[in-house]
Amino acid sequence: MESGALKVLDVSLYRRGQLITTLARWTSFGLGLLSLVFLWNGPRTRPIPALAAGTAYLVFSLARHAARSRRRRHAWKVAHDVVDALAVGAGAAFTGGLESPVWLLLYPHVVAVSVRGGLFYAMAMGILDAVIVSVLAALSDQPLGSLHAVALLFCAFMGGTTSSYLHQVQRRLSGVNEELSEANRQLSETIAAHEAARHEQERGMARMQDSEARYRKLLEAIQDGVLIFQEGRVAYANRVAGAMIGETPASLLGTELVDLVAPEERRELLEGYRRWEQSAAVSATLETRLRTRAGEPLLVSVRAGSAELEGRRSVIATLRDITRERRMENEVQAHAERLAAVNEIANAVNLNLTIEDIFAVVAEETRRLVPFDRLTIALLSEDGRGVDVVAVGAGAGRPPVPLGREAVEWAFRRPHAWCQGEERPPSAGELIADARMAAVATVPLYSKDRLIGSLNLGRLQAAAFSALDLAVLEPVARHVAIALDNARLLDAVRRRGREFESLLEVGRSIVARLELKEILPLVARSVNRVMGTSHCLLLLRSGDDLVVAAQEGLEPAVVDSFQGMRIGKSLSGWVIQHGQPLAVTDMRADPRLLFKDLVERFGYRSFLGAPLRRGADCLGTLEVVTKEVRRFEPEEQALMVAFADQAAVAIDNARLFAEARSNLAQMAEANRRLEEAGRLRQQYLRNVSHEFRTPLTVIKGYLEFLREAERVSPDTQKEILAVMAESCERVIEMVDTLIDVSRLEQESAARSLQMQTLDLRQLSEASVEPLRVIAERKGIDLGLDFPEEDLLVQGDRGLLHQVVRKLVDNALKYSSSGGRIVVRGRVQGGDLALEVEDSGIGIPPEHQARIFEKFYVVDGGMTRRTGGAGMGLYLVREIVRLHNGSVEVRSRPGQGSVFAVRLPRKPPATPANLARA
């Protein structure tokens, strides 16, 4: 029955998969037609061929649906997958190639095919899609087409790998399904055989005298164990019953009934045996435990009835092994009970917000999961160095036992179990708060990935905690850790609230202000008002000095004397140096006083100062002085300290606000730069497209001219070939620039330098020589200015050649006919200087700081005459930095520019890392 249901389920899933595949294909077809509608008037769209391709695909799909055959179903599927890819490729080719969105349908195509067909089939289809994308890239002149081809292959590989894995899982599930079906069939046959045997047994009891031999043969064929008892002893046992007990059927003959079961089961079994002897009806099921030869009890289900055999009253019992079944039921029930207990613990600890209540709940509920005699919780101190052990449950009320963290670090690393007979962990007795424990289990307490302590259980008997016990305790520990952490936080919040409640009204007007210049005078005024004084001074720390930040009521001469006071000097310096409040009844008698003449001059007598503490830092001091002798009481000192702490918070908040405002401005500037970088990137893409398109258009134009012209003179051919060669060189140069930029931006660029000794003059001559033709064509004088001495430098010949060439080429672009360009080299101290000076249009000052940035161009329009994609000067800067040099520009609009490169003559110990833009 179950097998049939599974087959129906498989057919339903198969039909659902077919429906999803069909819907996906028609959805893709609709998206392709929709794209064609939007691209109908596109410059590269050929609507008629595109419609023809779509019509052909529609005809093929309908034909395939109409000619569906079971024998060739796989071949049709493969053909349809190939036609899907070709149809997408044709649609994309007729609507603009890679510029058309139609080709993107290859991504869902390769994913769908790979998931459905396995790794090899996925890679075959991925190669087909990659070839189509490569062809489209070639048709569309898109250099990124190869990346999409690789991406399609990667998608095919990942999808195919996943499909292969799922197919293996499906095959295994199918195998398991078949095994279950076979087991179900065998079970059905067994049940049927058992029922047939039971009926046969009932009929046989009535005819026992005539068919005993045949009945015994039938009992041997039964899958369950069969025992026949006469007068309480075994008179017959089939081979299944013997196998259950671990004896041969012959050895069981004569065994008493009570010897077959465990002692605790004998009374119930004897009562059942008496009932069976008195009734011929088959009894209800009785579960008991058989004693086996191996010593392990075997749980069996017994059904029995009485009959006359050989003229004697006999009890015939059938035995069925239900040990495995009950064990699985017990495991499921135990797991459910553990989950319920963990949930109850989680709910309980979350409802109790005090640490004491949490301890009580943990001791009560954990005992339901894991038996123990002692439970403690070890809590780390706030500094993380000490450990407080709190005993709860049995023996609760013991005061905390202080421990060092190093002594019990083993309990904080991972769940740990120890039992007597093994090597005892250090301080295990102190951790469990009882040296008598013979078994200990510890589980770390983590709250938000932060260690706060450990949960510890102990047993007086040497009964080891199992791995299952530790696994059960881990979720309990997680909930307890979170609850303890929350309780600690709640206690801290309540304590802090009580401490600051009295200062709330006074400090409200202070902390409400965020400007430091407003807060400091307000603090001085508020302190005088609260303390009942007239003279207040607020000093802030500046390095090792103190500066007057605010004051009220003090004479200018007194204020000036405090400016620049060193920490540790006078009473104010003592307060900030020691970080403690100081009350002096008569300043004149205190030897620490520094400005005694001023104090006597203006009549000051008493002093009270408190440090402005913020965490471990001391921001300054808050002081009041009086001109009459006044003894500041401890309550007044505490109020001053509290007010100083409040003022420190307000000052720190004001500083943080200023920093936040500054950071906000920096973030705004960073966002502006990101937007500018995005704009430059878009401009760069347009420029590169333009730079590639221009020479390729020239080449294509001349090729079409040569193809259509009937006869072309040799001179004309040479001119055309020269122009085409120049255009090709331009494309090659741009490609080389992009490759060089990509290579230099890799982290391994510095290690790939091919350093050698180079003559700067020879390097410059070799770099400039290919550009002289361009200079002569534009009427520009291109010269070199080098001294007679050798200018030797250590560097990479190819990269430094790029530097000279890019700078000279840049000068040629922005110089007009009749201008002059000079490549100059000379020694500057321990460096060599290479300068390229031109008489071109110059660079406006606002652009000079950014011309070496990636993608940046002064003239960003697509119609500019000079060309360029904003990569040349960036490449120059990165190459020079790679050689531990520097490059700068000096320019005035209309008067030309000078690009100066400085390179060290001696090579560095290690190449510099490439600086990222």
Side-chain angles (χ1 to χ4, degrees):
M1 294 174 62
E2 293 180 359
S3 177
L6 289 172
K7 291 181 180 179
V8 172
L9 180 59
D10 290 342
V11 172
S12 176
L13 291 175
Y14 175 78
R15 290 176 178 173
R16 188 182 303 170
Q18 291 291 94
L19 177 60
I20 293 173
T21 302
T22 303
L23 290 176
R25 281 196 170 114
W26 287 113
T27 301
S28 300
F29 181 74
L31 291 174
L33 291 179
L34 184 62
S35 300
L36 177 60
V37 172
F38 283 104
L39 299 173
W40 187 271
N41 295 321
R44 301 189 61 181
T45 301
R46 290 182 285 174
I48 301 304
L51 282 178
T55 303
Y57 176 80
L58 180 61
V59 171
F60 173 83
S61 299
L62 295 176
R64 189 251 176 173
H65 182 75
R68 189 179 302 174
S69 173
R70 290 183 176 271
R71 295 181 179 179
R72 299 182 178 179
R73 178 176 297 171
H74 181 71
W76 275 109
K77 288 182 178 179
V78 174
H80 209 156
D81 290 337
V82 173
V83 170
D84 288 341
L86 294 177
V88 172
F94 293 137
T95 56
L98 289 187
E99 297 178 356
S100 168
V102 175
W103 73 273
L104 293 175
L105 295 175
L106 290 175
Y107 276 101
H109 171 262
V110 74
V111 171
V113 170
S114 61
V115 170
R116 188 176 68 249
L119 178 59
F120 294 102
Y121 186 73
M123 291 307 297
M125 289 299 169
I127 292 172
L128 174 61
D129 291 348
V131 169
I132 293 174
V133 169
S134 299
V135 172
L136 293 175
L139 295 176
S140 305
D141 192 24
Q142 291 288 340
L144 296 179
S146 58
L147 295 179
H148 291 295
V150 172
L152 287 171
L153 287 174
F154 180 75
C155 292
F157 176 76
M158 294 302 295
T161 303
T162 304
S163 176
S164 298
Y165 174 76
L166 292 177
H167 286 170
Q168 292 179 3
V169 173
Q170 183 181 15
R171 286 194 295 271
R172 292 182 181 179
L173 290 177
S174 299
V176 173
N177 189 15
E178 292 175 359
E179 293 176 1
L180 290 175
S181 300
E182 179 64 20
N184 195 10
R185 183 187 62 79
Q186 292 179 0
L187 181 61
S188 300
E189 293 176 354
T190 301
I191 294 174
H194 178 69
E195 290 296 325
R198 185 173 62 83
H199 291 303
E200 187 66 24
Q201 182 181 7
E202 292 175 352
R203 291 193 299 270
M205 286 183 179
R207 312 188 297 272
M208 180 104 31
Q209 298 297 331
D210 300 328
S211 58
E212 181 177 352
R214 185 174 59 185
Y215 181 68
R216 288 179 178 271
K217 188 179 296 184
L218 176 64
L219 294 180
E220 291 293 338
I222 291 179
Q223 298 295 325
D224 295 335
V226 177
L227 293 175
I228 299 178
F229 295 94
Q230 293 178 347
E231 298 180 356
R233 297 179 180 271
V234 178
Y236 168 80
N238 69 348
R239 56 182 180 81
V240 178
M244 287 182 179
I245 301 174
E247 302 284 353
T248 62
S251 63
L252 291 175
L253 298 180
T255 304
E256 293 188 5
L257 172 65
V258 294
D259 293 336
L260 294 177
V261 296
E264 61 271 14
E265 306 282 348
R266 291 174 180 174
R267 180 177 179 180
E268 182 181 5
L269 186 61
L270 287 174
E271 292 177 356
Y273 183 77
R274 296 189 187 97
R275 292 195 302 271
W276 299 335
E277 280 188 321
Q278 297 172 2
S279 174
V282 179
S283 70
T285 301
L286 171 67
E287 293 185 4
T288 188
R289 297 181 184 273
L290 290 180
R291 298 174 60 184
T292 64
R293 185 175 184 181
E296 296 182 359
L298 182 68
L299 184 63
V300 295
S301 173
V302 182
R303 292 174 63 88
S306 63
E308 292 289 336
L309 290 177
E310 299 177 349
R312 302 173 65 182
R313 194 69 176 174
S314 304
V315 173
I316 304 174
T318 59
L319 312 177
R320 177 176 299 174
D321 185 1
I322 60 173
T323 304
R324 180 182 177 86
E325 178 183 345
R326 290 295 181 269
R327 184 183 297 117
M328 293 180 63
E329 292 178 357
N330 293 335
E331 289 177 357
V332 171
Q333 183 178 359
H335 184 66
E337 291 176 354
R338 285 195 297 269
L339 290 178
V342 171
N343 288 332
E344 290 180 8
I345 291 176
N347 294 332
V349 297
N350 289 331
L351 291 175
N352 295 276
L353 297 179
T354 65
I355 295 179
E356 293 76 10
D357 291 340
I358 293 172
F359 288 164
V361 171
V362 171
E364 179 181 355
E365 298 294 337
T366 306
R367 194 181 300 276
R368 297 173 51 194
L369 296 174
V370 179
F372 64 87
D373 299 309
R374 187 74 161 178
L375 185 146
T376 65
I377 295 179
L379 298 177
L380 283 173
S381 60
E382 293 185 359
D383 59 6
R385 299 178 181 177
V387 178
D388 292 334
V389 178
V390 180
V392 296
R398 175 173 176 158
V401 179
L403 285 175
R405 176 169 178 173
E406 296 79 6
V408 291
E409 185 67 31
W410 55 271
F412 298 146
R413 294 195 188 103
R414 58 180 177 81
H416 186 85
W418 168 83
C419 186
Q420 193 173 38
E422 303 174 358
E423 183 180 356
R424 189 181 184 92
S427 302
E430 291 81 357
L431 188 65
I432 200 64
D434 194 335
R436 300 173 301 162
M437 294 296 112
V440 175
T442 64
V443 180
L445 298 176
Y446 281 94
S447 176
K448 302 176 181 177
D449 297 330
R450 181 174 58 85
L451 179 67
I452 66 171
S454 66
L455 177 66
N456 316 302
L457 278 71
R459 290 173 178 168
L460 293 172
Q461 301 297 326
F465 290 92
S466 65
L468 179 60
D469 293 335
L470 295 178
V472 170
L473 290 173
E474 286 191 58
V476 175
R478 284 196 295 269
H479 291 295
V480 171
I482 294 173
L484 287 175
D485 204 24
N486 292 339
R488 279 182 166 182
L489 292 175
L490 182 61
D491 288 346
V493 169
R494 288 173 176 172
R495 184 172 61 255
R496 184 66 64 182
R498 290 191 298 268
E499 292 175 357
F500 283 98
E501 187 176 4
S502 60
L503 295 174
L504 182 60
E505 293 300 326
V506 177
R508 188 189 304 275
S509 59
I510 295 177
V511 299
R513 290 168 171 78
L514 295 176
E515 293 292 342
L516 198 59
K517 61 182 180 180
E518 297 179 1
I519 291 175
L520 299 179
L522 181 60
V523 169
R525 292 194 301 270
S526 300
V527 169
N528 276 334
R529 185 175 67 253
V530 172
M531 299 299 298
T533 58
S534 302
H535 311 285
C536 178
L537 179 65
L538 193 153
L539 299 175
L540 291 182
R541 184 172 187 168
S542 177
D544 292 332
D545 298 333
L546 293 175
V547 296
V548 178
Q551 62 87 22
E552 185 181 54
L554 295 176
E555 291 79 3
V558 176
V559 175
D560 293 340
S561 66
F562 279 94
Q563 296 290 358
M565 178 187 295
R566 302 288 293 180
I567 294 176
K569 300 295 184 180
S570 192
L571 301 178
S572 302
W574 187 94
V575 171
I576 192 171
Q577 183 180 35
H578 293 81
Q580 298 177 3
L582 177 63
V584 179
T585 304
D586 190 358
M587 290 187 291
R588 300 176 183 180
D590 196 305
R592 292 170 292 188
L593 183 65
L594 185 62
F595 308 109
K596 187 174 181 180
D597 54 341
L598 287 175
V599 170
E600 293 177 348
R601 174 183 171 186
F602 294 104
Y604 292 107
R605 300 300 299 269
S606 300
F607 170 89
L608 175 61
L612 297 172
R613 291 172 299 190
R614 187 63 173 150
D617 298 330
C618 192
L619 307 181
T621 65
L622 184 62
E623 307 167 1
V624 294
V625 292
T626 64
K627 291 187 177 182
E628 67 279 353
V629 176
R630 177 175 174 179
R631 182 181 300 276
F632 291 99
E633 299 297 333
E635 294 79 8
E636 294 177 314
Q637 297 180 31
L639 181 60
M640 186 70 173
V641 170
F643 204 99
D645 291 342
Q646 189 84 351
V649 172
I651 293 171
D652 196 35
N653 289 343
R655 288 179 173 177
L656 292 176
F657 177 73
E659 292 177 4
R661 185 165 52 190
S662 175
N663 292 337
L664 185 61
Q666 293 177 4
M667 290 179 61
E669 177 63 18
N671 289 334
R672 187 192 65 77
R673 288 183 174 271
L674 286 175
E675 293 175 357
E676 177 67 12
R679 184 189 66 79
L680 291 177
R681 179 177 177 275
Q682 294 297 327
Q683 176 178 308
Y684 164 72
L685 293 176
R686 292 194 298 269
N687 293 343
V688 168
S689 301
H690 176 74
E691 292 301 317
F692 273 102
R693 185 182 298 275
T694 300
L696 292 176
T697 302
V698 173
I699 295 172
K700 181 179 179 183
Y702 278 115
L703 287 175
E704 292 179 351
F705 170 75
L706 292 175
R707 183 178 60 185
E708 296 175 359
E710 296 180 358
R711 296 185 62 184
V712 181
S713 64
D715 294 338
T716 304
Q717 288 183 357
K718 290 181 179 180
E719 293 179 0
I720 292 175
L721 293 176
V723 173
M724 294 174 63
E726 181 180 349
S727 299
C728 290
E729 288 293 335
R730 185 175 175 185
V731 173
I732 292 172
E733 181 182 359
M734 288 188 290
V735 172
D736 289 341
T737 298
L738 295 176
I739 293 175
D740 289 339
V741 169
S742 176
R743 181 165 65 92
L744 290 176
E745 288 182 341
Q746 296 178 2
E747 294 182 358
S748 60
R751 297 192 298 269
S752 65
L753 288 178
Q754 299 179 1
M755 304 296 287
Q756 55 183 306
T757 302
L758 304 173
D759 186 282
L760 193 58
R761 179 186 181 91
Q762 296 178 1
L763 178 71
S764 300
E765 290 176 348
S767 303
V768 168
E769 191 61 31
L771 300 175
R772 291 190 181 277
V773 177
I774 301 175
E776 293 174 359
R777 186 184 305 151
K778 295 187 66 174
I780 298 174
D781 182 17
L782 178 57
L784 299 174
D785 181 11
F786 284 82
E788 293 298 331
E789 61 176 314
D790 293 335
L791 302 180
L792 300 181
V793 65
Q794 293 289 327
D796 188 297
R797 178 184 297 275
L799 294 180
L800 293 181
H801 172 78
Q802 285 273 43
V803 171
V804 179
R805 182 178 176 85
K806 293 294 182 185
L807 291 177
V808 175
D809 182 64
N810 194 65
L812 288 172
K813 288 180 180 179
Y814 293 97
S815 297
S816 57
S817 177
R820 176 175 172 77
I821 299 175
V822 179
V823 181
R824 185 181 298 111
R826 64 178 183 274
V827 178
Q828 286 186 350
D831 299 336
L832 294 184
L834 175 69
E835 295 183 351
V836 178
E837 182 178 359
D838 64 69
S839 58
I841 61 175
I843 304 172
E846 63 271 16
H847 295 290
Q848 293 180 17
R850 301 191 61 190
I851 60 173
F852 293 102
E853 294 181 7
K854 191 175 181 180
F855 308 146
Y856 190 83
V857 290
V858 177
D859 179 14
M862 291 296 294
T863 60
R864 66 192 189 283
R865 296 171 297 172
T866 57
M871 298 294 288
L873 293 179
Y874 168 76
L875 182 61
V876 168
R877 185 191 69 179
E878 297 305 306
I879 293 175
V880 172
R881 285 186 178 181
L882 199 60
H883 286 77
N884 289 294
S886 61
V887 60
E888 61 181 13
V889 61
R890 304 187 300 273
S891 179
R892 291 184 179 180
Q895 299 182 18
S897 305
V898 177
F899 286 85
V901 176
R902 290 175 65 96
L903 296 172
R905 302 191 71 171
K906 295 182 180 180
T910 56
N913 290 330
L914 181 63
R916 299 282 178 173

